Amino acid sequence: YYKTALGIFQTKVPGEASVVLNNLGSTLKNLERYDEALDFLKKAYEVGEARRNPLERLMPLNNQGYVYSIQGRYQEALQKHEEALRLAKQISAPEDELHALRGIGNNMYRMGRYAEALDAFRSVVTVSEQLKSPDGSASGHIGMGRCYEK
C-alpha cells in the first residue's frame, strides 16, 4: 500500500512524498531490509530538505539512526540522532527531541560511553515529564538504570 501511495504522490505531487517515503523506509526496517530502508529514508530526508520543511526531515533522520544502530553502525546512528536533536530543538518539536535523545542514549550506551548515555537518558526523562509521557519517562529511567549498572 505504501508503494501504491508513493506511485500516486510521484505522479500527482512528487515533491510531497516525504511522509510516504519515511513510512516505507520504516516498514522495510521492520522487515529487516535495512539497505532498502536507508534508501527510502534518505529520499524522504531529501524531499523534506528540498521543501525546506524541517518537520519532514526529523523522522527520516531519527529512523536512519535506528537502522544504523541495528546494523551496529553506532557512530553513524549517533550522528543522525544528534542532527535530529539539533533540528527538533531549533523548531521546538519535543516529541522528535525525545526520539533523538533516546537514540543518542542507546547508541552512547552501546559504545560504552555510559556517562554520556546517562546524560541523554536524564534528558529523556525531563522531556517526557514536560510531555506528560509515562512511556517516555519509563524508558529514560530504564536507560539510566542500565548505565548505573555498568
Side-chain angles (χ1 to χ4, degrees):
Y1 288 108
Y2 284 134
K3 286 185 177 180
T4 299
L6 182 59
I8 293 167
F9 270 101
Q10 288 174 329
T11 302
K12 305 285 185 193
V13 281
E16 297 181 17
S18 67
V19 172
V20 176
L21 289 163
N22 180 69
N23 291 346
L24 189 51
S26 293
T27 300
L28 289 164
K29 172 192 67 132
N30 293 338
L31 293 170
E32 299 179 4
R33 293 165 54 182
Y34 303 123
D35 291 334
E36 288 177 84
L38 285 171
D39 287 342
F40 282 101
L41 294 169
K42 288 175 184 175
K43 288 176 188 170
Y45 177 86
E46 290 167 4
V47 169
E49 190 170 48
R51 289 168 44 95
R52 298 176 189 247
N53 187 331
L55 284 172
E56 291 180 12
R57 295 183 347 233
L58 276 169
M59 283 310 294
L61 278 172
N62 274 321
N63 283 329
Q64 286 176 58
Y66 296 139
V67 173
Y68 286 135
S69 186
I70 290 167
Q71 292 179 318
R73 298 163 63 181
Y74 305 126
Q75 190 59 47
E76 290 167 281
L78 188 58
Q79 290 170 341
K80 294 300 178 185
H81 289 302
E82 287 173 340
E83 186 178 347
L85 179 61
R86 283 189 299 275
L87 187 57
K89 285 182 174 187
Q90 179 184 8
I91 64 167
S92 299
E95 294 86 3
D96 294 295
E97 186 177 337
L98 183 61
H99 287 288
L101 286 165
R102 192 175 309 143
I104 290 168
N106 286 326
N107 284 291
M108 291 289 193
Y109 179 85
R110 290 179 182 117
M111 295 167 71
R113 295 165 59 181
Y114 304 118
E116 293 165 284
L118 185 59
D119 288 341
F121 288 125
R122 282 187 182 123
S123 295
V124 166
V125 171
T126 300
V127 173
S128 295
E129 289 172 356
Q130 292 168 355
L131 292 170
K132 297 181 179 13
S133 169
D135 291 342
S137 183
S139 72
H141 282 94
I142 289 168
M144 288 169 41
R146 289 178 19 225
C147 292
Y148 281 121
E149 187 176 49
K150 290 290 182 179

